[in-house]
Amino acid sequence: MLSEKTISIIKSTVPVLEVHGVAITKRFYQLLFTNHPELMNVFNHANQRQGKQQAALANAVYAAAQYIDKLETILPAVKQIAHKHRSLGITADQYPIVGQNLLQAIKEVLGDAATDEILDAWAEAYGVIASVFISVEAEMYQEAEQQQGGWAGYRAFRVERKVQESSVITSFYFVPQDGGSIASFKPGQYVSVKMDIPGEKNTHIRQYSLSDAPGKPYYRISVKREDTLPSKPAGVVSVYLHEQMKEGEVLWLSAPAGDFTLDLEDIRPVVLISGGVGLTPMVSMLNTLVDTKTDRQVTFIHAAQNGEYHALKQQVEEKVSQTSGAAAHWCYSNPTVLDTGAFHKEGYIDLPWLQKVIPNKDAVFYFCGPVPFMAHINRLLLEWNVPAEQIHYEFFGPSGSLDQPSEQAAVPQQ
């Protein structure tokens, strides 16, 4: 337990962290990778370059300081991060390394304002927070390894099939190289894919949502090729998977993880809303609901630029046709002449259209896609007075915020 003095000191740093949090975490990662370059094999380099990881860590540190006397408040966030850590293979012995470099970054960025008293308080607080993560993750590692078909660390899988789903999305079907069984998973979960790519200095690990229902003899992921854009470089892993990975080749997967999952115990109607490649966990949820012959009403809504970028469309339509309780609706922001009759709304998802195609707002809503798209959907649902506890969403990559403007940028471009 933390002393009252330590809690008071940590809380006094909240305003400083609000201003300097990103600067601290940016310096932290610089120190971490300089002092321990081997950790470059764990972290997503693209998120580092784009500043996403630094912002996510800054938000986590800020929340920890704000609720240092009520750590149970941030337990859901802890579990979400712990899932990612377990999937990546973060170990208990790495936490002291992180703590040492984080304290050094605080000292360097804040200068004289980072007194010995403040640094000592943060060292004590970090120790408590780290012990919570280590405990939660230890349980997750044990569960992942001991479940039927489970394993520890990474396991070799062979690419059984590679299927192009749209101009930018390709599905990969993985089966274990050892011929053994595979662990089940909850619809909405993801796996980490670990690859050593020729010409790349470091190992690359990426997390991809599983895009089919559990209970199959394979895992399927559906990957968007991340080409170079003015705002970001090309995705090293996604481009390699699309261009170089062939059927029969082998890569390494973690056991499934993640807390963005479909609640199969709930009996209320389900609304699944996706933009772009955000449809992958939604398809897993849809397939599971149909395969289990649920009586729940299911509404599947997907937004894409046009048919060229619309992946898994035929599969979703076939799945929906298997039950009278399901319906699918497509929204294209920039349809082509080839899309005539192939979509239900042109332009952007808006509230009147949602109210028209969703039979009942007393439902559970799941959505995923680009952050501006999710911010837009979240705003519409809140405007419709859907209770926050009925709204669930997933960030691809480090957690962010949906508290942002959501105008026309909300439509996914791919």
Side-chain angles (χ1 to χ4, degrees):
M1 294 292 292
L2 294 173
S3 67
E4 288 298 324
K5 181 180 179 182
T6 296
I7 290 173
S8 177
I9 293 172
I10 295 298
K11 279 187 165 292
S12 74
T13 65
V14 169
V16 177
L17 293 173
E18 187 173 14
V19 176
H20 299 287
V22 173
I24 290 171
T25 54
K26 182 178 180 180
R27 181 56 182 155
F28 157 73
Y29 282 114
Q30 291 171 347
L31 290 168
L32 184 67
F33 296 142
T34 298
N35 297 330
H36 296 274
E38 71 278 6
L39 293 179
M40 287 291 290
N41 294 313
V42 177
F43 287 85
N44 185 316
H45 307 170
N47 289 335
Q48 289 289 325
R49 287 193 298 269
Q50 296 171 38
K52 293 181 179 179
Q53 192 67 55
Q54 294 89 331
L57 178 58
N59 289 336
V61 172
Y62 178 78
Q66 197 172 20
Y67 298 104
I68 194 65
D69 55 338
K70 298 178 182 178
L71 288 178
E72 66 276 7
T73 303
I74 63 171
L75 190 58
V78 168
K79 289 184 176 179
Q80 183 182 65
I81 296 171
H83 271 286
K84 292 182 181 293
H85 285 180
R86 200 280 293 158
S87 178
L88 291 169
I90 300 297
T91 55
D93 61 329
Q94 291 170 334
Y95 276 91
I97 295 172
V98 169
Q100 179 182 358
N101 287 277
L102 182 59
L103 289 174
Q104 181 63 31
I106 292 173
K107 183 176 181 179
E108 290 187 16
V109 172
L110 299 186
D112 293 340
T115 63
D116 289 343
E117 188 177 49
I118 286 176
L119 292 174
D120 288 345
W122 263 107
E124 184 183 350
Y126 176 81
V128 170
I129 295 169
S131 68
V132 173
F133 273 100
I134 291 170
S135 176
V136 171
E137 289 163 20
E139 292 181 7
M140 290 181 176
Y141 277 112
Q142 185 177 28
E143 181 182 354
E145 183 176 2
Q146 294 183 357
Q147 65 182 313
Q148 184 176 357
W151 66 94
Y154 287 86
R155 182 178 176 186
F157 278 73
R158 175 172 52 84
V159 180
E160 184 181 53
R161 275 200 295 155
K162 179 179 178 181
V163 181
Q164 185 170 347
E165 307 286 8
S166 75
S167 63
V168 293
I169 295 175
T170 294
S171 288
F172 298 83
Y173 293 74
F174 301 129
V175 295
Q177 189 180 31
D178 60 21
S181 62
I182 57 175
S184 187
F185 61 91
K186 297 178 181 179
Q189 289 192 307
Y190 54 79
V191 292
S192 284
V193 177
K194 184 169 74 169
M195 301 178 63
D196 290 308
I197 298 175
E200 288 289 318
K201 180 181 178 181
N202 299 109
T203 297
H204 289 268
I205 302 175
R206 296 292 185 273
Q207 293 167 329
Y208 293 108
S209 296
L210 292 158
S211 61
D212 204 347
K216 306 293 196 305
Y218 58 80
Y219 291 140
R220 184 179 75 178
I221 63 172
S222 302
V223 180
K224 175 190 171 189
R225 175 185 169 129
E226 299 288 352
D227 291 313
T228 302
L229 296 173
S231 59
K232 65 178 181 179
V236 174
V237 174
S238 70
V239 170
Y240 185 83
L241 285 170
H242 275 249
E243 292 188 353
Q244 304 298 328
M245 183 61 65
K246 297 179 176 59
E247 292 179 352
E249 293 190 318
V250 174
L251 41 64
W252 298 81
L253 302 184
S254 71
D259 66 340
F260 176 67
T261 57
L262 176 68
D263 184 357
L264 291 171
E265 300 298 322
D266 200 326
I267 61 172
R268 288 175 295 182
V270 183
V271 180
L272 309 172
I273 307 176
S274 57
V277 75
L279 90 167
T280 51
M282 304 294 103
V283 171
S284 177
M285 293 180 184
L286 172 69
N287 289 357
T288 302
L289 288 164
V290 174
D291 289 351
T292 55
K293 303 187 186 307
T294 179
D295 292 330
R296 297 170 72 179
Q297 190 176 61
V298 184
T299 305
F300 191 102
I301 298 171
H302 181 63
Q305 186 173 346
N306 50 51
E308 178 186 352
Y309 296 103
H310 189 169
L312 302 170
K313 178 175 183 287
Q314 183 177 349
Q315 293 182 39
V316 169
E317 289 179 338
E318 289 176 354
K319 213 68 182 177
V320 165
S321 70
Q322 295 174 19
T323 175
S324 59
H329 305 275
W330 317 126
C331 180
Y332 289 177
S333 61
N334 188 26
T336 68
V337 293
L338 298 177
D339 294 321
T340 302
F343 62 98
H344 305 96
K345 176 174 170 48
E346 180 176 354
Y348 308 110
I349 293 176
D350 54 38
L351 185 54
W353 186 69
L354 283 181
Q355 292 172 328
K356 178 181 178 182
V357 300
I358 297 174
N360 187 349
K361 77 170 184 178
D362 184 20
V364 185
F365 293 78
Y366 297 85
F367 58 89
C368 187
V371 174
F373 171 83
M374 293 202 300
H376 177 70
I377 298 301
N378 191 56
R379 180 181 63 81
L380 294 181
L381 296 180
L382 294 178
E383 185 180 333
W384 196 9
N385 294 319
V386 175
E389 61 270 18
Q390 294 173 211
I391 299 174
H392 309 277
Y393 51 87
E394 168 91 318
F395 287 97
F396 281 169
S399 294
S401 171
L402 297 188
D403 185 20
Q404 57 179 281
S406 54
E407 304 300 334
Q408 292 185 346
V411 146
Q413 295 302 304
Q414 296 182 350

